[in-house]
Amino acid sequence: MTVRRDFQEPARCHPDLVIGREDLLAGARDQLASGGSVLLHGPAGIGKSTVLRALAEEYGATARTVLRCSATESESHLPFLALADLLGLVLDDVSPRLPVAQRTALESALTGRGESSLQRDGLALRLAVLSALRALAARGGVLVVADDLQWLDPASAELLGFAARRLEGTPVQLLCAVRTEGQESQEYDRHLRACPPGTLAVRLGPLSRAQVAQLLDHRGHGCLTRSTVREIHRTSGGNPLFALELGRALAESPTPPRPGEPLPVPTSLRALVLSRLDMLSVEARRTLLVASAGARPTPALLHAAGRTNAEAECAQAAELGLLATGPDAPAVRFAHPLISAALYAETPVHERRAAHAALSTAASDPIERARHLALASTGTGPDPEVAARLAEAAALARDRGAPSVAANLGLLAARHTPAEGVPSQEERRLQAAEDAITAGEIDLARDIAREVLARAGVPADRVRAWMIVIDSAGHTMAEVDAVFPQALADAGDDPRLLALVHYQLAWRALIVEGDFTEAREAAAHAAELAARGKDRRTELLSLAFQAQTETLMGHPEAPRTIKRALKEPQDPRVAWHHNGAGSARFRWLVMGDQLAEARATVTALLREVRRRGSVESEVHFLRGLAETELRAGHCGRALELSRESLRLARDSGIGETASAMLTSLAEASGGDVDRALSLAREAVEHAEEDGDQMYLSRALGALGYAQLVAGDPAGTVRSLRRVRRLELGLGITDPARGRWQGDLAEALVRIGEPAEAQDVIDVSREHALRLGRESVIAVLDRSEALARAARGELEAAVAQLTSARDRLGKLGYGLEEARAALALARLRPRRPGPGGFDEATRLFRRCRALPWLRQVDESLTTPEPEPALAVPQALDALDALAAMERQVAALVMEGATNREIAARLFISVKTVEATLTRVYRKLGIRSRVDIVRLAAARRAK
């Protein structure tokens, strides 16, 4: 086997080496497993060699012979070098099996003894390579691994292509990689034609922002802030090599880039992307510098900035591949974002300032003019006029819904503000931090707040900074416990400042302590303090928090508190905030079965927060809309919204636990049950790690539901019993908060605990009746019907299920209606008419509830039982079962799943299924529920 030096000890394929390539790896694996060949292609640094090594390591073990070569540009002029890499070490093995003319030509080419060339020995060499590969294949599979095909010497490329086109029918596979440029590039066609017929061409594209973050974290750059990672992704264009080099440079840099400036580009990348820059004229290079400094450069902007020959100079740059050409003219667009950043980094500081100075008057947008003015003035010291213009631009960006831009402009304004300026440097920094929180740039906000605390002496500034530190902790408030005494000390006896601290203490009581009563009292106290201090914004936030807490508690004061929170005058910053009165009203509507009005309310809130660029509120209201759609039975739409919320939450680091929980519910209802289980467990783990009592119960509720859909009622009972204990301790009495009670009762019936199921139903119904939760009552009736059926009260169960189904349909709970229809069909499988499996199928299809549709299919494919025995007869029949059948039936009665039964009895899952089929037939029953019912009857007997 030939192994080139740099492949002798290939790195093991760790998961971090193939981040973001799972789908294309799956396709390539399938192709290789079926005996085909694969050609990887894409631009430099995109990860072709990494994927190639991973696949070569995986499939090289299955081949008898692996031939490798990896060409370089500097060696591409040496004839037959790649061929020598491939066949050099097997030459002695295959030579004796070649005809003399072919052997002579091949040995001459590979060893350099004598003179050989394609012109003189062309046919003999071509046939020799083909014969050598066939000879190796006669002994077993051959895998040819060739990296950087673009640098193969022409002679080797010609010979390899000739052989590859004629290897059909032999166990010879090619695994190759070639560099191509541009999304629509067809450069790989030439190499594809030189591969075996049917070769799969796989293009490697850029990584997503989340994948770049994962890659940086795996390579030891996890300390970078999310905003920095976003900028790395933008600048690198998702190219893994570029992203890693940028991350390394930033991690090693003692000073981060200033707001508004491009990232520092390491010399290694500058040389890679700017190799053609020296071919530009001096004036063309200056024009490109102005373009790189501008946010949205156009020829008109370049003209206004003094670049009179912009079109011609841009055309020159486009010919060299520095600028992209396309239908989006008149925009000036760099071929890759890194070219712009590298050009800017390569340019001396005084030339950069000159470019920004030109753009400060040329740009039409006032925000852009202010930004360029600041960057042109960098290093010149404080300037109140520049600071004022930047602060005005930040306010304009805030109004436009661009809080991230506002934060950067605010920091620039603070930097240009004189020490005794009004507003002060600290005030402008704190406003920038609050804009950063709105934009979801939590790390930046926290850093600014800590910088202010390190030097601020004004109590109002210090308390405001403490609030930012607490806000940036999110649901991990236990980590900032030490902040509260310091914030209270700074607040003194000022009611406005104390209101801010007590509002956060209310959240701490809820999240950390899990004490709804204490949280409600702290919120009410904060509202009183804010009213006394004439701080309407904090008063409204406190009232809204109090209202949400009372709603979840089932407190009778909740409607009155919501009205107080909605009373004029309102503060627009609170009206659309995720912790404002609008959000509290939405929660009240959802829990009160007013789904249409709840959807309209949360849709309007989501539209407004998107307009304002508030990331945290957007994550929150995406979840709210997804929950509403899920309640209404629109599972497909709920799945889309919840996945969007989860992506945004993970990107910003805001609300990840809550979004994972909600997405788990949506996946279990309309997507992938395994993913639902994984997300629910992730949410439980995060809530436990964060000490978040409020979301721990919600996450466990999602886990219990996913386990129920997955056919694990015992797991559901374990999870939802914990929820029951938690909510009892928290003081939550409204069953509409988590809506887990019906699932727990149903699972308890399935594992043969109808008495406990009835207790859950009775306690929950009492609270639901008190609060008027009609949909909860209907779901509890559905669960009670299952308990009745388990006791043998079939007619009463059918009547109760029919009523529950109809009421849920009228209330608009499509998925719950469909679940009632399925339960009804299972109770009376032979009855024709509207109560059968056809109706359940129709309702689940309307909901796009794929996991539930699979349950219908399983019910339909279960063999039709013999006519049902009466309960006494069936009890007698239990004793007549074979030994294995009795063991399986007994474990079903304990609530064990088929997989658990198989493990305990040391048999296969298929054997369990076959045994259960015989049990059903002998007992005249249809399902596991019927076995549990018989067990309950036996105990009663």
Side-chain angles (χ1 to χ4, degrees):
M1 179 171 65
T2 300
V3 181
R4 188 178 164 90
R5 184 178 63 255
D6 55 351
F7 276 95
Q8 284 180 358
E9 296 181 3
R12 295 292 298 172
C13 178
H14 299 294
D16 58 310
L17 297 181
V18 288
I19 286 170
R21 307 302 189 194
E22 291 79 10
D23 290 343
L24 65 87
L25 272 173
R29 285 190 181 109
D30 290 344
Q31 175 75 358
L32 291 169
S34 66
S37 297
V38 173
L39 175 65
L40 307 169
H41 66 102
I46 204 67
K48 301 181 299 298
S49 297
T50 297
V51 174
L52 182 111
R53 281 194 297 271
L55 291 169
E57 182 180 3
E58 186 172 344
Y59 285 90
T62 66
R64 188 180 188 280
T65 306
V66 179
L67 308 175
R68 302 178 187 263
C69 72
S70 182
T72 63
E73 184 177 13
S74 62
E75 298 171 342
S76 61
H77 66 287
L78 300 174
F80 305 121
L81 181 61
L83 190 64
D85 284 341
L86 288 171
L87 298 177
L89 294 184
V90 296
L91 181 61
D92 293 342
D93 187 26
V94 299
S95 286
R97 287 178 280 169
L98 302 181
V100 175
Q102 295 180 21
R103 181 168 66 245
T104 302
L106 185 59
E107 289 176 347
S108 177
L110 296 186
T111 63
R113 294 192 300 268
E115 294 184 3
S116 180
S117 68
L118 278 180
Q119 287 74 25
R120 194 182 73 180
D121 303 315
L123 181 59
L125 274 174
R126 287 175 172 85
L127 293 175
V129 173
L130 179 59
S131 298
L133 291 173
R134 284 175 173 166
L136 292 169
R139 299 182 175 182
V142 177
L143 179 65
V144 178
V145 182
D147 199 4
D148 284 319
L149 287 183
Q150 74 278 1
W151 303 132
L152 249 63
D153 61 276
S156 296
E158 168 61 26
L159 293 171
L160 185 60
F162 175 87
R165 291 190 295 272
R166 292 162 175 79
L167 286 170
E168 192 169 7
T170 65
V172 178
Q173 297 173 266
L174 267 65
L175 174 58
C176 307
V178 63
R179 180 184 300 181
T180 56
E181 300 296 337
Q183 183 66 30
E184 304 300 326
S185 173
Q186 299 298 312
E187 300 167 43
Y188 72 93
D189 274 354
R190 173 170 58 88
H191 299 281
L192 188 60
R193 287 193 294 271
C195 290
T199 295
L200 175 68
V202 178
R203 176 173 178 79
L204 276 70
L207 299 180
S208 68
R209 188 185 300 172
Q211 289 162 352
V212 165
Q214 188 181 359
L215 178 64
L216 290 166
D217 184 53
H218 275 277
R219 295 299 178 88
H221 304 313
C223 59
L224 298 171
T225 65
R226 282 186 169 84
S227 56
T228 301
V229 171
R230 282 197 291 272
E231 189 61 23
I232 287 175
H233 177 259
R234 188 196 67 78
T235 302
S236 68
N239 184 296
L241 172 65
F242 297 173
L244 285 171
E245 286 296 298
L246 288 167
R248 180 185 58 77
L250 282 165
E252 294 174 355
S253 174
T255 56
R258 293 177 180 272
E261 290 187 349
L263 295 179
V265 180
T267 304
S268 58
L269 290 186
R270 294 187 204 180
L272 179 64
V273 300
L274 297 180
S275 56
R276 288 160 287 186
L277 195 64
D278 292 338
M279 301 173 68
L280 283 175
S281 66
V282 173
E283 291 303 313
R285 181 166 177 153
R286 287 175 179 164
T287 295
L288 286 197
L289 172 63
V290 175
S292 72
R296 292 173 296 277
T298 63
L301 177 65
L302 296 177
H303 275 292
R307 309 310 304 162
T308 55
N309 295 319
E311 286 88 349
E313 289 157 356
C314 286
Q316 182 187 358
E319 288 177 5
L320 293 171
L322 296 167
L323 293 181
T325 57
D328 55 350
V332 176
R333 185 165 59 88
F334 284 88
H336 192 281
L338 191 62
I339 296 174
S340 173
L343 172 61
Y344 189 92
E346 186 84 0
T347 304
V349 173
H350 70 277
E351 291 186 31
R352 294 188 212 168
R353 289 178 182 163
H356 286 298
L359 288 167
S360 69
T361 58
S364 58
D365 186 86
I367 293 176
E368 277 300 294
R369 288 200 301 270
R371 183 179 75 88
H372 289 301
L373 177 63
L375 293 172
S377 307
T378 299
T380 60
D383 186 328
E385 183 180 345
V386 172
R389 284 185 58 182
L390 285 165
E392 291 170 4
L396 181 57
R398 196 175 305 118
D399 291 341
R400 288 183 181 178
S404 180
V405 175
N408 284 328
L409 290 169
L411 286 175
L412 288 170
R415 187 170 290 122
H416 285 84
T417 299
E420 304 302 323
V422 178
S424 68
Q425 294 178 355
E426 308 311 335
E427 287 179 275
R428 282 178 167 154
R429 285 193 180 92
L430 289 167
Q431 179 62 65
E434 289 167 355
D435 287 329
I437 283 184
T438 301
E441 297 183 12
I442 303 301
D443 299 324
L444 176 60
R446 186 188 299 114
D447 290 345
I448 296 171
R450 287 174 176 163
E451 182 183 353
V452 169
L453 286 166
R455 55 191 182 190
V458 178
D461 290 345
R462 292 186 60 80
V463 171
R464 193 173 167 191
W466 288 126
M467 297 305 99
I468 292 167
V469 171
I470 294 170
D471 274 339
S472 65
H475 279 246
T476 60
M477 291 189 82
E479 297 179 1
V480 293
D481 257 358
V483 165
F484 288 99
Q486 299 176 71
L488 285 169
D490 283 330
D493 57 1
D494 187 329
R496 290 176 64 91
L497 300 182
L498 285 170
L500 291 171
V501 182
H502 281 277
Y503 172 68
Q504 294 290 1
L505 283 169
W507 277 104
R508 184 194 175 281
L510 184 63
I511 293 172
V512 179
E513 301 297 334
D515 190 329
F516 275 68
T517 301
E518 183 183 341
R520 174 180 177 268
E521 291 172 356
H525 183 46
E528 292 171 9
L529 287 167
R532 207 185 319 154
K534 302 189 185 316
D535 180 358
R536 183 61 173 163
R537 179 176 185 272
T538 303
E539 181 186 7
L540 290 170
L541 283 171
S542 301
L543 286 170
F545 180 82
Q546 181 184 343
Q548 292 224 42
T549 306
E550 290 172 348
T551 297
L552 296 175
M553 294 172 67
H555 197 286
E557 288 294 313
R560 188 177 295 107
T561 307
I562 290 175
K563 287 181 180 178
R564 287 178 62 199
L566 291 169
K567 188 177 179 181
E568 295 294 341
Q570 286 290 311
D571 184 319
R573 295 172 297 172
V574 178
W576 53 264
H577 196 273
H578 59 279
N579 288 327
S583 182
R585 180 172 178 272
F586 160 72
R587 179 56 50 195
W588 176 261
L589 292 169
V590 166
M591 294 175 68
D593 298 328
Q594 301 179 59
L595 296 182
E597 193 171 352
R599 182 187 293 108
T601 298
V602 75
T603 299
L605 289 167
L606 180 60
R607 186 185 306 116
E608 182 63 18
V609 298
R610 280 175 165 166
R611 187 184 73 80
R612 293 175 178 269
S614 177
V615 173
E616 184 172 8
S617 292
E618 182 178 358
V619 171
H620 182 92
F621 290 132
L622 276 169
R623 284 200 308 270
L625 184 54
E627 181 184 352
T628 307
E629 298 294 1
L630 197 57
R631 299 279 174 240
H634 304 151
C635 298
R637 176 64 174 150
L639 192 57
E640 293 172 4
L641 290 163
S642 62
R643 285 174 175 172
E644 184 181 354
S645 170
L646 184 58
R647 282 194 298 271
L648 190 57
R650 286 182 168 162
D651 183 48
S652 62
I654 297 173
E656 293 180 76
T657 300
S659 293
M661 176 275 299
L662 198 281
T663 308
S664 171
L665 291 172
E667 291 282 359
S669 299
D672 184 283
V673 179
D674 288 337
R675 179 164 168 75
L677 289 166
S678 175
L679 286 168
R681 291 186 177 112
E682 174 191 325
V684 170
E685 182 180 348
H686 286 175
E688 289 176 332
E689 287 176 354
D690 296 342
D692 185 347
Q693 297 298 307
M694 184 171 65
Y695 268 110
L696 178 57
S697 64
R698 296 294 305 274
L700 284 166
L703 178 58
Y705 174 67
Q707 289 168 323
L708 185 69
V709 179
D712 179 15
T716 297
V717 170
R718 286 193 299 271
S719 298
L720 297 187
R721 277 175 175 164
R722 282 188 68 189
V723 177
R724 193 181 189 192
R725 291 193 297 269
L726 277 169
E727 294 204 349
L728 183 64
L730 292 171
I732 298 173
T733 60
D734 193 334
R737 188 245 182 179
R739 297 176 181 267
W740 48 267
Q741 297 82 0
D743 292 337
L744 175 56
E746 181 175 336
L748 286 165
V749 171
R750 289 192 190 183
I751 68 168
E753 296 290 349
E756 184 182 347
Q758 192 62 54
D759 179 64
V760 171
I761 292 165
D762 292 343
V763 172
S764 303
R765 182 183 280 126
E766 180 182 349
H767 292 301
L769 287 168
R770 173 174 59 85
L771 297 167
R773 305 304 192 214
E774 294 297 328
S775 64
V776 174
I777 295 169
V779 168
L780 292 172
D781 283 351
R782 183 185 70 204
S783 301
E784 187 172 49
L786 297 177
R788 283 184 166 182
R791 295 194 296 267
E793 304 170 19
L794 293 182
E795 291 304 320
V798 167
Q800 193 170 19
L801 270 176
T802 303
S803 172
R805 178 200 61 192
D806 294 344
R807 282 178 287 144
L808 288 166
K810 288 178 181 178
L811 288 168
Y813 285 78
L815 182 59
E816 301 293 358
E817 176 192 8
R819 287 180 61 181
L822 175 59
L824 196 57
R826 284 171 170 166
L827 283 186
R828 49 181 193 182
R830 293 187 189 83
R831 296 193 184 183
F837 286 107
D838 287 346
E839 181 185 16
T841 299
R842 177 183 64 81
L843 291 173
F844 281 130
R845 281 180 178 164
R846 185 180 69 184
C847 295
R848 289 176 60 188
L850 302 182
W852 288 102
L853 277 170
R854 282 191 285 274
Q855 292 202 19
V856 176
D857 291 340
E858 289 171 7
S859 298
L860 289 170
T861 55
T862 300
E864 189 73 20
E866 299 296 326
L869 299 175
V871 170
Q873 293 175 294
L875 290 174
D876 293 338
L878 277 171
D879 297 325
L881 295 176
M884 175 63 74
E885 293 166 352
R886 282 200 304 274
Q887 286 180 292
V888 171
L891 290 172
V892 169
M893 293 174 189
E894 294 177 14
T897 66
N898 287 1
R899 192 172 298 279
E900 291 169 341
I901 294 170
R904 290 172 66 175
L905 298 181
F906 301 100
I907 58 178
S908 70
V909 174
K910 287 188 176 180
T911 300
V912 174
E913 293 169 349
T915 304
L916 276 175
T917 299
R918 293 195 301 273
V919 170
Y920 296 156
R921 185 175 64 250
K922 288 183 179 182
L923 298 182
I925 61 177
R926 186 178 185 87
S927 69
R928 299 167 68 95
V929 174
D930 294 326
I931 294 179
V932 174
R933 176 171 61 87
L934 291 174
R938 168 168 281 189
R939 284 194 293 270
K941 183 178 176 183

